[in-house]
């Protein structure tokens, strides 16, 4: 792996905030200053382990300077000037809707007015505790140059794909008063996430993969709040006592937490807090996403099994339902892999500094990570495509579900890999 940072020493230590009673095989390391990308790749991405980056990694971001007052509070007046009437998604943390919080869209200035009143009223409101979350600020205000994604998180296939098709992205801003929180969950497609506190403090409760199975009720539903007394009811949560204690982490202003794939978590804002979050995935956790999609399809198939013999298009209906619930089906997953592979083959076939057929920022990222990383990416796509071609449900896809022939793409990828390994 090409070293992106040269001659950089690292100071890695156990952070002061770790809860002492947790699963004995898991802990979180604190990264004080720059480390080589290859070290992050080896120590955290591949083994799927969490870590925390110090505030040194965000100190040059514009939002750390402009969105925060001299005493470390959200600069509500400056934010109001920047975003004014922009529509933003706002959740009510005081209400439960299924296993999350109900959301509404409101003008940004209305949320700021609410936040000011909430603070003035001792952090309470008859409207409940409102939390601006999952706001695509970067997509709508890219010219603001608010922050720069650290190199460690730059191999981001999720946003690369959705940027390419110009439909969506998974880059978000969160703004919440003291007391706002996010219920227990794992991230979309079992992706990685990174979350940077621009100001304020958060408390994270993290459970390693597999522990969530002990946190389901007798009907198989995941807990909404893992701290709720109801989990002590053995009749309702029969396996709760088998769950390990979570990693309990306090994230300070400026720090960035890396949350690995499949780590369920629950998060609290301990102060008035602004944060930036990306969901992302790459070749290191692609197999986890593929496994998740297979499990999601199996779950749909079990739910509508009774109609299997009465519907000629039962398998196609399962894919449609899966996409409506999960956000992607097998056909789009194949298109996702094709886009990632084509971008890397285009990069290899052109002068790295003049890869006009792919986005400028993507070409820059691929160049920084180096050709061996590109080779790794292609090998991972190749591996998953080979697995898909042997999957019975993938074989049943209608020809119209795919805009290309996977076997031909596989051959192109094999030839591209041979040129660089």
């Amino acid at each position: 792996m090409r070293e992106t940072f040269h001659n950089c020493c690292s100071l890695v230590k156990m952070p002061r905030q770790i809860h002492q009673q947790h699963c004995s095989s898991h802990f979180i390391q604190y990264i004080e200053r720059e480390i080589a990308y290859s070290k992050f790749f080896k120590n955290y991405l591949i083994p799927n382990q969490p870590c925390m980056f110090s505030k040194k990694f965000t100190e040059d971001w514009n939002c750390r300077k402009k969105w925060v007052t001299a005493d470390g509070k959200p600069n509500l007046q400056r934010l109001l000037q920047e975003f004014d009437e922009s529509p933003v998604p706002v959740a009510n943390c005081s209400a439960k809707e299924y296993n999350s919080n109900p959301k509404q869209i409101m003008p940004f200035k209305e949320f700021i007015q609410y936040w000011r009143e909430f603070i003035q009223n001792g952090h309470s409101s008859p409207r409940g505790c409102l939390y601006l979350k999952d706001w695509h600020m970067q997509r709508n205000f890219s010219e603001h140059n608010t922050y720069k994604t650290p190199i460690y998180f730059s191999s981001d296939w999720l946003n690369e794909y959705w940027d390419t098709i110009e439909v969506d992205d998974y880059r978000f801003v969160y703004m919440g008063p003291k007391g706002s929180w996010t219920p227990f969950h794992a991230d979309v497609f079992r992706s990685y996430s990174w979350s940077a506190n621009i100001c304020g403090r958060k408390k994270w409760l993290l459970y390693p993969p597999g522990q969530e199975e002990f946190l389901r009720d007798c009907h198989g539903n995941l807990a909404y709040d893992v701290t709720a007394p109801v989990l002590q009811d053995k009749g309702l949560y029969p396996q709760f006592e088998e769950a390990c204690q979570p990693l309990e982490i306090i994230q300070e202003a400026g720090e960035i937490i890396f949350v690995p794939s499949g780590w369920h978590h629950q998060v609290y804002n301990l102060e008035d807090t602004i944060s930036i979050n990306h969901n992302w995935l790459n070749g290191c956790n692609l197999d986890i996403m593929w496994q998740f999609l297979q499990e999601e399809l199996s779950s749909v198939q079990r739910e509508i099994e009774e109609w299997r013999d009465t519907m000629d298009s039962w398998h196609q209906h399962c894919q449609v339902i899966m996409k409506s619930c999960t956000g992607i089906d097998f056909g789009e997953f194949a298109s996702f892999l094709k886009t990632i592979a084509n971008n890397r083959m285009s990069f290899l076939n052109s002068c790295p500094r003049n890869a006009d057929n792919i986005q400028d920022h993507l070409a820059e990222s691929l160049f920084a990570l180096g050709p061996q990383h590109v080779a790794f990416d292609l090998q991972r796509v190749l591996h998953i495509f080979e697995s898909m071609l042997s999957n019975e449900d993938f074989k049943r896809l209608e020809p119209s579900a795919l805009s290309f022939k996977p076997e031909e793409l596989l051959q192109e990828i094999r030839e591209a890999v041979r040129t660089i390994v």
Side-chain angles (χ1 to χ4, degrees):
M1 183 68 61
R2 179 179 185 159
E3 298 289 340
T4 306
F5 296 103
H6 298 278
N7 301 318
C8 289
C9 63
S10 66
L11 179 61
V12 180
K13 60 184 180 181
M14 291 294 290
R16 58 200 176 281
Q17 309 97 333
I18 300 258
H19 192 288
Q20 295 303 308
Q21 297 178 352
H22 54 72
C23 293
S24 59
S25 61
H26 293 282
F27 56 90
I28 185 167
Q29 290 187 323
Y30 193 78
I31 301 174
E32 184 68 37
R33 57 180 67 99
E34 286 181 352
I35 60 174
Y37 175 85
S38 58
K39 191 166 188 176
F40 178 72
F41 184 94
K42 177 183 177 181
N43 293 350
Y44 304 103
L45 288 182
I46 293 293
N48 206 42
Q49 291 296 306
C51 64
M52 184 80 79
F53 291 83
S54 76
K55 64 182 180 182
K56 294 181 186 296
F57 291 87
T58 63
E59 61 187 1
D60 292 332
W61 289 4
N62 285 335
C63 57
R64 291 280 323 275
K65 302 168 185 175
K66 297 180 179 179
W67 292 3
V68 185
T69 63
D71 58 351
K73 306 294 184 183
N75 191 333
L76 301 184
Q77 186 59 38
R78 176 61 185 260
L79 291 166
L80 187 59
Q81 292 172 357
E82 286 197 35
F83 303 115
D84 194 23
E85 295 275 0
S86 302
V88 292
V90 177
N92 187 344
C93 299
S94 304
K96 179 181 177 183
E97 187 174 85
Y98 301 104
N99 246 30
S100 61
N101 306 125
K103 279 186 180 178
Q104 60 179 310
I105 302 296
M106 67 171 62
F108 183 80
K109 69 176 185 179
E110 181 181 336
F111 176 75
I112 293 297
Q113 180 182 354
Y114 158 83
W115 199 351
R116 282 173 167 160
E117 293 172 354
F118 189 85
I119 294 171
Q120 292 166 1
N121 198 37
H123 285 89
S124 66
S125 169
R127 297 176 65 181
C129 184
L130 302 186
Y131 191 3
L132 188 163
K133 60 192 308 186
D134 300 326
W135 178 28
H136 297 272
M137 187 281 301
Q138 179 70 7
R139 184 177 68 193
N140 298 329
F141 296 92
S142 58
E143 72 280 1
H144 283 207
N145 192 28
T146 306
Y147 64 96
K148 183 176 181 180
T149 301
I151 185 71
Y152 310 106
F153 317 132
S154 62
S155 180
D156 176 357
W157 299 6
L158 197 59
N159 287 299
E160 176 184 335
Y161 171 70
W162 264 271
D163 284 349
T164 299
I165 63 175
E166 299 182 336
V167 171
D168 202 357
D169 74 344
Y170 288 89
R171 306 178 184 93
F172 307 108
V173 167
Y174 288 63
M175 298 186 182
K178 177 182 178 180
S180 51
W181 69 296
T182 299
F184 190 57
H185 70 287
D187 288 319
V188 61
F189 309 139
R190 296 301 180 266
S191 59
Y192 298 135
S193 70
W194 64 264
S195 181
N197 273 4
I198 306 309
C199 63
R201 303 167 74 234
K202 290 181 184 287
K203 180 171 78 172
W204 293 75
L205 303 179
L206 273 75
Y207 287 87
Q211 288 296 310
E212 72 278 2
E213 297 306 319
F214 302 126
L215 300 167
R216 295 184 183 276
D217 65 17
C218 56
H219 305 292
N221 300 310
L222 203 62
Y224 169 73
D225 176 1
V226 293
T227 69
V230 70
L231 272 73
Q232 304 290 337
D233 184 339
K234 292 184 179 180
L236 190 55
Y237 288 89
Q239 294 183 286
F240 174 66
E241 290 185 349
E242 299 179 50
C244 70
Q245 291 295 312
L247 292 177
E248 184 173 315
I249 304 157
I250 304 300
Q251 180 186 17
E252 303 290 346
E255 294 179 338
I256 308 174
I257 188 170
F258 166 62
V259 181
S261 282
W263 283 64
H264 284 67
H265 47 282
Q266 188 164 307
V267 191
Y268 300 88
N269 288 324
L270 303 179
E271 300 174 354
D272 296 317
T273 301
I274 300 175
S275 61
I276 290 171
N277 176 282
H278 285 201
N279 293 115
W280 57 296
L281 58 86
N282 56 35
C284 298
N285 61 342
L286 184 63
D287 56 336
I288 297 176
M289 180 183 182
W290 171 227
Q291 182 62 37
F292 167 72
L293 295 180
Q294 292 175 82
E295 292 170 357
E296 287 293 291
L297 181 60
S298 294
S299 178
V300 170
Q301 291 172 337
R302 287 193 298 272
E303 287 294 321
I304 64 170
E305 176 66 29
E306 60 186 293
W307 290 287
R308 184 174 189 138
D309 296 330
T310 63
M311 297 172 61
D312 292 337
S313 56
W314 183 83
H315 289 287
Q316 283 67 47
H317 277 285
C318 288
Q319 292 283 340
V320 171
I321 295 171
M322 175 191 173
K323 183 167 184 175
S324 69
C325 296
T326 307
I328 195 170
D329 57 19
F330 279 17
E332 184 163 22
F333 182 58
S335 296
F336 163 77
L337 294 178
K338 175 179 180 289
T339 297
I340 300 304
N342 282 344
N343 282 344
R344 277 140 191 80
M345 290 188 291
S346 294
F347 174 80
L348 292 173
N349 291 332
S350 60
C351 175
R353 291 297 192 184
N354 296 292
D356 296 331
N357 47 346
I358 60 177
Q359 303 146 340
D360 289 344
H361 68 275
L362 175 57
E364 181 181 341
S365 173
L366 294 177
F367 182 81
L369 294 173
Q372 292 306 310
H373 201 297
V374 172
F376 170 80
D377 291 350
L378 289 172
Q379 288 168 335
R380 296 304 298 157
V381 171
L382 187 64
H383 171 71
I384 297 301
F385 253 134
E386 289 171 343
S387 174
M388 291 176 71
L389 288 175
S390 65
N391 179 277
E392 293 302 320
D393 290 302
F394 184 77
K395 292 177 183 178
R396 294 189 183 101
L397 291 182
E398 294 285 344
S400 59
L402 295 177
S403 60
F404 65 99
K405 295 181 179 179
E407 294 84 356
E408 293 180 1
L409 179 62
L410 284 178
Q411 186 56 36
E412 288 182 49
I413 296 173
R414 290 189 186 103
E415 291 174 2
V417 170
R418 278 197 292 268
T419 67
I420 51 178
V421 296

